[in-house]
Amino acid sequence: MWSSAWPPQRGLVRSARKPFSAKQQHRATVAGGQAWSYCTCAPDILATQLHMELVVPDIISTVEFNNTGELLATGDKGGRVVIFQREQESKNQPHRRGEYNVYSTFQSHEPEFDYLKSLEIEEKINKIRWLPQQNAAYFLLSTNDKTVKLWKVSERDKRPEGYNLKDEEGRIRDPCTITSLRVPVLRPMDLMVEATPRRVFSNAHTYHINSISVNSDYETYMSADDLRINLWNLEITNRSFNIVDIKPTNMEELTEVITAAEFHPHHCNTFVYSSSKGTIRLCDMRSSALCDNHSKLFEEPEDPSNRSFFSEIISSISDVKFNHSGRYIMTRDYLTVKVWDLNMENRPIETYQVHDYLRSKLCSLYENDCIFDKFECVWNGSDSVIMTGSYNNFFRMFDRNTKRDVTLEASRENSKPRAILKPRKVCVGGKRRKDEISVDSLDFSKKILHTAWHPSENIIAVAATNNLYIFQDKVN
Amino acid sequence: MFTRGIKRKCFDPEVIDGSLVDIKTLPSYTLERQSMLDMSLVKLQLCHMLVEPNLCRSVLIANTVRQIQEEMTQDGSWQFFHAHQTDHAAPLDRLVSTEILCRSSKDQAEEKHIDDAYITYSEELEVQETQEISELSTVTSVKAVQNSSTGFWEIESPQENRANLQKSLDHIFETLENRNTNSMEDLFSEVDTSYYDLDTVLTGMMGNSKLGHCDVLESLSQSTSPTHCKAELNEIDHIVEILVES
């Protein structure tokens, strides 16, 4: 096993500053009005300092950086999307570089009522995906259980003034009274960030949407629910193509559901989807319109010595992610993270234990339903480190090269100013050392399900209920 | 607590009559399995009460139930415990077939029928439990012959177990309510009296003050025959069907 004891070396820097600039909308506030900076000294990549903690209005249900890392979007249970923008570098305050402030907040989804099914559709945002930036505006897709929306987020700092055809209140003037030609001029105004819904993709999913993924052609995206995957053109809302359908004709035979799906980062014809039986299927859209027959099936044979009633439940995959090159895929099941080589289907090339100490607690985790929690996983910018969440506000990082791992905690209480953000350790049975936490005292209501890693730098965002923690590699 | 019975310490050196016994035939394992089954069935029933349950979760639970049922039909350990079986209706069997517990709010027309059924069911369960107290002594003695070392249920007192299950049931309700407060509330407000009755049914299983949770489980497992098991499998399929279609 890897050692997780990392000697802390660096001290903490606390920077007190005004959390938000005036231009920004403030639906979110920084906890305590202060931004915190901590650092630990876990070597290189895993060296993180808690940069700031942000509080959003409701329980965070998804976190996603955009393609440059300048923006960070969170979706919450209340259907809101909060976008944070990274502070620009300034010579006077170099330490401020990397701080994220609220950029825009908008209500993406509202609760709806399905009259046919007599069913309330939750507004909770299940996933957010950014589109690559093509002009000054930003575009993102957000989805709840049933409907995907395309949002445009743009800035406005000028407004046209001096219209000839309209009066000051916007009413059209009588053309007879207009005697001269006047050209409106743009006058500067306070910066405004507007979010406008550009497309609404609805009525295509009978079951709950669990994933959306933008294709590398930047023209299409897919949305996956429990039993089907649909392919959409970003411009067309009234038609989608069903590319995977695992719904059996006889629903009595249903034993497997789709849990996550993602497009290949470079090959627009390739995508993968994972299932509740722990398998990953790679499909090629060139082979047929309906990809019912996979091109590759990734599956690890079950270890008979570890067999229990919970085998299937814990092998159910909760997240699947291609690495940046598209050569590897990472999957998260209840107890492990696995890395698969696209060229080897029969077993993963790497398996990392996230919280193996829970293996003896599976029955109570089944009783209290925690066993069905859907943990996500992320790659760092260079694919050398992977990160995923656990319970008790712990999250884990695994360095694939050095084979070291670390457990960190996202919490305000245990990260005091001028203190060092210590790696945490869970003690399994026997004597509990100082600073260790016993398995029995873990808080299963505090779970880190959603995390995000900046596309090129060592900045991570960790969502713990309605707190968003941003950690950063030591700046100087 | 019930995980991986295979690996439990007290099972490992299990040698009876000088030969290794298949773990799956040990009473403690069977009980463990039985309690797993019961827990899963309760979860499934609660799933059914939601108009649109979490499909992934429901499918995983249903598969677990299928797996247990399959194992039970195959290994025949069931038969041993059913040697003392009387001819009264099997509560477990009924639990699975009690679709009334699983109706969604759209079946309002049958509301009265639902209420009646709830009451009948809980009454029958009580009667049965009292009947089984008398049988209990026989069962224990059989157990003692088969398994002389510390049994699973002796590790924790029956009261504790009962409390645990009660706690877990409460928790299931709690989590479900948290997850989908509206639909649960709607359901209970519409099927007025059934809330109480459902409560009786669920807690009634452990409600008898003389019997611990384990005893009831035992009696539950006793009174279901292998033939019932087959039927249960079909019914589980049926439940799954209802579940996904809803």
Side-chain angles (χ1 to χ4, degrees), chain B residues 11-60:
Chain B
F11 292 166
D12 287 342
E14 206 71 68
V15 177
I16 292 167
D17 295 337
S19 64
L20 263 167
V21 176
D22 183 6
I23 260 120
K24 287 180 180 177
T25 62
L26 290 174
S28 36
Y29 177 83
T30 318
L31 283 169
E32 182 185 327
R33 191 167 59 184
Q34 189 65 53
S35 103
M36 216 8 228
L37 181 64
D38 293 341
M39 205 199 298
S40 306
L41 289 172
V42 171
K43 279 179 188 285
L44 270 186
Q45 285 165 353
L46 293 172
C47 279
H48 298 175
M49 302 172 97
L50 303 172
V51 185
E52 211 171 62
N54 176 343
L55 193 63
C56 182
R57 178 176 171 272
S58 315
V59 165
L60 287 171

Side-chain angles (χ1 to χ4, degrees), chain B residues 40-235:
Chain B
S40 306
L41 289 172
V42 171
K43 279 179 188 285
L44 270 186
Q45 285 165 353
L46 293 172
C47 279
H48 298 175
M49 302 172 97
L50 303 172
V51 185
E52 211 171 62
N54 176 343
L55 193 63
C56 182
R57 178 176 171 272
S58 315
V59 165
L60 287 171
I61 297 170
N63 285 353
T64 309
V65 173
R66 280 199 190 102
Q67 184 198 335
I68 295 172
Q69 296 272 4
E70 219 167 282
E71 196 180 290
M72 283 172 137
T73 4
Q74 273 172 12
D75 69 13
S77 65
W78 198 261
Q79 268 167 324
F80 176 81
F81 285 102
H82 297 223
H84 305 270
Q85 202 219 336
T86 52
D87 54 0
H88 61 244
L92 184 63
D93 191 28
R94 190 165 289 227
L95 201 65
V96 188
S97 65
T98 322
E99 281 162 34
I100 41 165
L101 284 174
C102 324
R103 293 270 160 85
S104 63
S105 51
K106 57 190 167 194
D107 300 316
Q108 288 309 302
E110 295 170 70
E111 189 179 323
K112 196 175 172 296
H113 166 71
I114 293 171
D115 290 349
D116 289 349
Y118 278 142
I119 293 158
T120 327
Y121 175 54
S122 39
E123 274 171 358
E124 276 182 24
L125 198 68
E126 269 167 39
V127 172
Q128 215 172 326
E129 275 171 1
T130 36
Q131 280 175 354
E132 272 154 7
I133 297 172
S134 52
E135 292 162 25
L136 200 64
S137 51
T138 359
V139 184
T140 356
S141 58
V142 174
K143 249 180 87 178
V145 172
Q146 201 211 24
N147 181 6
S148 50
S149 70
T150 321
F152 176 75
W153 294 107
E154 283 152 302
I155 299 166
E156 286 180 69
S157 72
Q159 280 77 15
E160 257 173 39
N161 282 312
R162 194 174 60 186
N164 281 345
L165 196 84
Q166 181 62 62
K167 220 170 73 189
S168 67
L169 279 171
D170 289 345
H171 189 81
I172 290 169
F173 273 115
E174 206 177 272
T175 30
L176 268 164
E177 271 164 4
N178 286 342
R179 182 170 308 158
N180 204 337
T181 321
N182 291 334
S183 52
M184 285 295 278
E185 271 171 13
D186 288 352
L187 217 119
F188 287 138
S189 65
E190 279 162 7
V191 190
D192 224 339
T193 49
S194 63
Y195 187 99
Y196 170 77
D197 291 326
L198 175 73
D199 212 31
T200 322
V201 172
L202 293 174
T203 54
M205 282 174 16
M206 300 127 261
N208 194 315
S209 56
K210 284 174 194 165
L211 282 174
H213 164 218
C214 55
D215 302 321
V216 180
L217 284 182
E218 213 161 279
S219 57
L220 281 173
S221 53
Q222 271 177 47
S223 45
T224 319
S225 73
T227 46
H228 280 125
C229 205
K230 267 262 160 61
E232 273 164 29
L233 269 174
N234 294 334
E235 271 147 9

